[in-house]
Amino acid sequence: MKGLILAAGRGSRLLPLSATRPKHAVPVAGVPIIVRAVQALRQAGVQDIGIVTSPSSEQDLRDATQHSGHLTFIRQYDPLGTGHAVLTARHFLEGSSTLLYLGDNLFEDALTPLISALRYGDAAIGVKEVTNPQAFGVAVVRAGRLLRLVEKPRTPESNLAACGVFTFKPVLIDVLEDLPHSTRGEIEFPQALTQLLTQGGQVRAVEFKGFWSDAGSPEDLLSANTHYLSHLTPCQDGRVERSTVTGPVVIEAGAVVEDSVLQGPVWIGPHAVVRGATLGPFVSVGAHARVDSAQVTVSLIDEFARILHPARPIHRSLIGRHALVTAPSDTGLQMVIGDRSVMRM
């Protein structure tokens, strides 16, 4: 079996974080989303993994996965949908069964049941019970078999969301190749499952019980960051002086924490500097970031960001790479706000 991760999109709902890199490269509790995707496939026993990228996102994804072993990068030059992305990779797949992973998803559950389910059908889909099924593609399932998929229905027939991971046999590639474009002008992978059912094929449904997120919005990203931070194993490889550390805290090698209070879960990345700050719970500080005289809770601070003596506590915030958050000057507030930014004062 081969693994295929779709990661060609930028992620408009995560702007401005995704303005300069694909959302799949954004870190969650210190680990890029794309790396967590690769880990999930490898833990399921899938070692030969391809990643579908756009020309503009490929280098960022290569950089993010540089320590993830051998990966095959496949360019999708035109953004023509998830089905088109799979077809772009058909030479890589070489007629093998495939574990398909939409690259912005995060799963707590193992993916091995999807592989096992493929023994009883032509394809399998992961589903998850949600409280707002009208916001998702909804799977109608009976006795472990998919009956149909309905995209964002006003009146959902079930509360099972299709959650971005599939297995399929080579026959599905043939279905995709014959599939017409949707009203959006795209080849949509879920429509291939619908067509397969129409042709008499069988699609199994595997329900996940653990945490799942598509990390598509700032709130989703913060929730995912909180989830993974809550599973930290404490470790202090960096330097800690005159500070109080409680709860699960990871301080990576090269990081410096001085005159601070860390209330875990907190993750401090390599070579980050924290001085005179109160951090936590649920805070991640990226590599080479600097936090001086700040109070931060439930936030994601990315690499090389600087938080310098802000006048107010920081809560439930996403602070991107190389960003600066600091106190007002003598002349008052100064704002340099880029496209699609959010500021609540």
mmCIF file of all heavy atoms in Angstrom, residues 43-64:
data_model
loop_
_atom_site.group_PDB
_atom_site.id
_atom_site.type_symbol
_atom_site.label_atom_id
_atom_site.label_comp_id
_atom_site.label_asym_id
_atom_site.label_seq_id
_atom_site.Cartn_x
_atom_site.Cartn_y
_atom_site.Cartn_z
ATOM 1 N N GLN A 43 2.909 5.359 11.096
ATOM 2 C CA GLN A 43 2.443 4.551 12.221
ATOM 3 C C GLN A 43 1.417 3.510 11.792
ATOM 4 O O GLN A 43 1.239 2.490 12.467
ATOM 5 C CB GLN A 43 1.862 5.464 13.300
ATOM 6 C CG GLN A 43 2.926 6.272 14.028
ATOM 7 C CD GLN A 43 2.361 7.412 14.846
ATOM 8 O OE1 GLN A 43 1.132 7.584 14.943
ATOM 9 N NE2 GLN A 43 3.223 8.224 15.443
ATOM 10 N N ALA A 44 0.753 3.761 10.661
ATOM 11 C CA ALA A 44 -0.186 2.778 10.118
ATOM 12 C C ALA A 44 0.512 1.738 9.252
ATOM 13 O O ALA A 44 -0.141 0.869 8.671
ATOM 14 C CB ALA A 44 -1.270 3.487 9.303
ATOM 15 N N GLY A 45 1.835 1.821 9.161
ATOM 16 C CA GLY A 45 2.598 0.845 8.401
ATOM 17 C C GLY A 45 2.843 1.204 6.957
ATOM 18 O O GLY A 45 3.365 0.395 6.191
ATOM 19 N N VAL A 46 2.478 2.425 6.551
ATOM 20 C CA VAL A 46 2.668 2.866 5.171
ATOM 21 C C VAL A 46 3.968 3.664 5.092
ATOM 22 O O VAL A 46 4.088 4.721 5.721
ATOM 23 C CB VAL A 46 1.483 3.720 4.697
ATOM 24 C CG1 VAL A 46 1.704 4.191 3.266
ATOM 25 C CG2 VAL A 46 0.185 2.921 4.814
ATOM 26 N N GLN A 47 4.922 3.156 4.331
ATOM 27 C CA GLN A 47 6.241 3.786 4.279
ATOM 28 C C GLN A 47 6.498 4.555 2.983
ATOM 29 O O GLN A 47 7.258 5.527 2.980
ATOM 30 C CB GLN A 47 7.324 2.714 4.454
ATOM 31 C CG GLN A 47 7.212 1.942 5.760
ATOM 32 C CD GLN A 47 7.297 2.828 6.986
ATOM 33 O OE1 GLN A 47 8.043 3.806 7.021
ATOM 34 N NE2 GLN A 47 6.512 2.504 8.016
ATOM 35 N N ASP A 48 5.883 4.138 1.891
ATOM 36 C CA ASP A 48 6.092 4.796 0.591
ATOM 37 C C ASP A 48 5.034 5.883 0.444
ATOM 38 O O ASP A 48 3.864 5.602 0.128
ATOM 39 C CB ASP A 48 5.987 3.763 -0.527
ATOM 40 C CG ASP A 48 6.555 4.283 -1.850
ATOM 41 O OD1 ASP A 48 6.990 5.454 -1.893
ATOM 42 O OD2 ASP A 48 6.563 3.514 -2.831
ATOM 43 N N ILE A 49 5.432 7.127 0.665
ATOM 44 C CA ILE A 49 4.474 8.222 0.791
ATOM 45 C C ILE A 49 4.772 9.302 -0.234
ATOM 46 O O ILE A 49 5.916 9.758 -0.385
ATOM 47 C CB ILE A 49 4.532 8.828 2.209
ATOM 48 C CG1 ILE A 49 4.169 7.771 3.254
ATOM 49 C CG2 ILE A 49 3.614 10.040 2.330
ATOM 50 C CD1 ILE A 49 4.387 8.228 4.693
ATOM 51 N N GLY A 50 3.730 9.728 -0.939
ATOM 52 C CA GLY A 50 3.819 10.860 -1.847
ATOM 53 C C GLY A 50 3.055 12.045 -1.276
ATOM 54 O O GLY A 50 2.051 11.874 -0.587
ATOM 55 N N ILE A 51 3.544 13.245 -1.571
ATOM 56 C CA ILE A 51 2.880 14.471 -1.138
ATOM 57 C C ILE A 51 2.596 15.317 -2.370
ATOM 58 O O ILE A 51 3.515 15.684 -3.109
ATOM 59 C CB ILE A 51 3.742 15.265 -0.138
ATOM 60 C CG1 ILE A 51 4.025 14.432 1.107
ATOM 61 C CG2 ILE A 51 3.052 16.568 0.245
ATOM 62 C CD1 ILE A 51 4.909 15.137 2.140
ATOM 63 N N VAL A 52 1.317 15.595 -2.612
ATOM 64 C CA VAL A 52 0.924 16.434 -3.743
ATOM 65 C C VAL A 52 0.993 17.891 -3.303
ATOM 66 O O VAL A 52 0.357 18.290 -2.318
ATOM 67 C CB VAL A 52 -0.488 16.084 -4.241
ATOM 68 C CG1 VAL A 52 -0.885 17.009 -5.393
ATOM 69 C CG2 VAL A 52 -0.547 14.621 -4.688
ATOM 70 N N THR A 53 1.780 18.678 -4.018
ATOM 71 C CA THR A 53 1.982 20.083 -3.683
ATOM 72 C C THR A 53 1.670 20.953 -4.891
ATOM 73 O O THR A 53 1.553 20.471 -6.018
ATOM 74 C CB THR A 53 3.437 20.352 -3.263
ATOM 75 O OG1 THR A 53 4.268 20.327 -4.438
ATOM 76 C CG2 THR A 53 3.939 19.313 -2.277
ATOM 77 N N SER A 54 1.568 22.239 -4.637
ATOM 78 C CA SER A 54 1.561 23.205 -5.726
ATOM 79 C C SER A 54 3.000 23.674 -5.939
ATOM 80 O O SER A 54 3.848 23.511 -5.043
ATOM 81 C CB SER A 54 0.672 24.402 -5.374
ATOM 82 O OG SER A 54 1.254 25.145 -4.315
ATOM 83 N N PRO A 55 3.311 24.267 -7.085
ATOM 84 C CA PRO A 55 4.675 24.782 -7.278
ATOM 85 C C PRO A 55 5.086 25.780 -6.197
ATOM 86 O O PRO A 55 6.243 25.810 -5.780
ATOM 87 C CB PRO A 55 4.608 25.431 -8.662
ATOM 88 C CG PRO A 55 3.532 24.685 -9.373
ATOM 89 C CD PRO A 55 2.506 24.381 -8.321
ATOM 90 N N SER A 56 4.141 26.581 -5.715
ATOM 91 C CA SER A 56 4.486 27.606 -4.733
ATOM 92 C C SER A 56 4.640 27.054 -3.320
ATOM 93 O O SER A 56 5.297 27.664 -2.476
ATOM 94 C CB SER A 56 3.419 28.714 -4.728
ATOM 95 O OG SER A 56 2.160 28.194 -4.331
ATOM 96 N N SER A 57 4.039 25.897 -3.037
ATOM 97 C CA SER A 57 4.091 25.357 -1.677
ATOM 98 C C SER A 57 5.154 24.288 -1.491
ATOM 99 O O SER A 57 5.484 23.926 -0.357
ATOM 100 C CB SER A 57 2.722 24.777 -1.287
ATOM 101 O OG SER A 57 2.425 23.618 -2.056
ATOM 102 N N GLU A 58 5.720 23.778 -2.569
ATOM 103 C CA GLU A 58 6.592 22.608 -2.469
ATOM 104 C C GLU A 58 7.805 22.853 -1.570
ATOM 105 O O GLU A 58 8.126 22.017 -0.707
ATOM 106 C CB GLU A 58 7.066 22.168 -3.856
ATOM 107 C CG GLU A 58 7.962 20.948 -3.798
ATOM 108 C CD GLU A 58 8.376 20.456 -5.173
ATOM 109 O OE1 GLU A 58 7.689 20.767 -6.168
ATOM 110 O OE2 GLU A 58 9.394 19.736 -5.246
ATOM 111 N N GLN A 59 8.492 23.967 -1.723
ATOM 112 C CA GLN A 59 9.710 24.178 -0.951
ATOM 113 C C GLN A 59 9.416 24.281 0.540
ATOM 114 O O GLN A 59 10.162 23.742 1.368
ATOM 115 C CB GLN A 59 10.443 25.427 -1.426
ATOM 116 C CG GLN A 59 11.846 25.555 -0.829
ATOM 117 C CD GLN A 59 12.718 24.339 -1.125
ATOM 118 O OE1 GLN A 59 12.889 23.942 -2.284
ATOM 119 N NE2 GLN A 59 13.261 23.712 -0.072
ATOM 120 N N ASP A 60 8.319 24.964 0.899
ATOM 121 C CA ASP A 60 7.955 25.052 2.314
ATOM 122 C C ASP A 60 7.689 23.666 2.896
ATOM 123 O O ASP A 60 8.069 23.380 4.045
ATOM 124 C CB ASP A 60 6.709 25.929 2.494
ATOM 125 C CG ASP A 60 7.010 27.404 2.300
ATOM 126 O OD1 ASP A 60 7.964 27.893 2.917
ATOM 127 O OD2 ASP A 60 6.276 28.062 1.551
ATOM 128 N N LEU A 61 7.032 22.811 2.125
ATOM 129 C CA LEU A 61 6.715 21.473 2.614
ATOM 130 C C LEU A 61 7.964 20.590 2.660
ATOM 131 O O LEU A 61 8.113 19.761 3.559
ATOM 132 C CB LEU A 61 5.633 20.839 1.751
ATOM 133 C CG LEU A 61 4.289 21.569 1.805
ATOM 134 C CD1 LEU A 61 3.309 20.959 0.813
ATOM 135 C CD2 LEU A 61 3.705 21.531 3.204
ATOM 136 N N ARG A 62 8.855 20.786 1.709
ATOM 137 C CA ARG A 62 10.142 20.063 1.774
ATOM 138 C C ARG A 62 10.915 20.474 3.028
ATOM 139 O O ARG A 62 11.491 19.626 3.716
ATOM 140 C CB ARG A 62 10.974 20.346 0.523
ATOM 141 C CG ARG A 62 10.507 19.607 -0.730
ATOM 142 C CD ARG A 62 11.432 19.887 -1.897
ATOM 143 N NE ARG A 62 11.044 19.189 -3.108
ATOM 144 C CZ ARG A 62 11.402 17.960 -3.437
ATOM 145 N NH1 ARG A 62 12.196 17.272 -2.613
ATOM 146 N NH2 ARG A 62 11.010 17.407 -4.562
ATOM 147 N N ASP A 63 10.935 21.778 3.301
ATOM 148 C CA ASP A 63 11.645 22.250 4.490
ATOM 149 C C ASP A 63 11.017 21.690 5.767
ATOM 150 O O ASP A 63 11.719 21.271 6.695
ATOM 151 C CB ASP A 63 11.632 23.783 4.536
ATOM 152 C CG ASP A 63 12.473 24.420 3.437
ATOM 153 O OD1 ASP A 63 13.304 23.708 2.837
ATOM 154 O OD2 ASP A 63 12.277 25.626 3.171
ATOM 155 N N ALA A 64 9.678 21.679 5.814
ATOM 156 C CA ALA A 64 8.986 21.222 7.020
ATOM 157 C C ALA A 64 9.209 19.742 7.285
ATOM 158 O O ALA A 64 9.222 19.305 8.444
ATOM 159 C CB ALA A 64 7.484 21.506 6.903
#
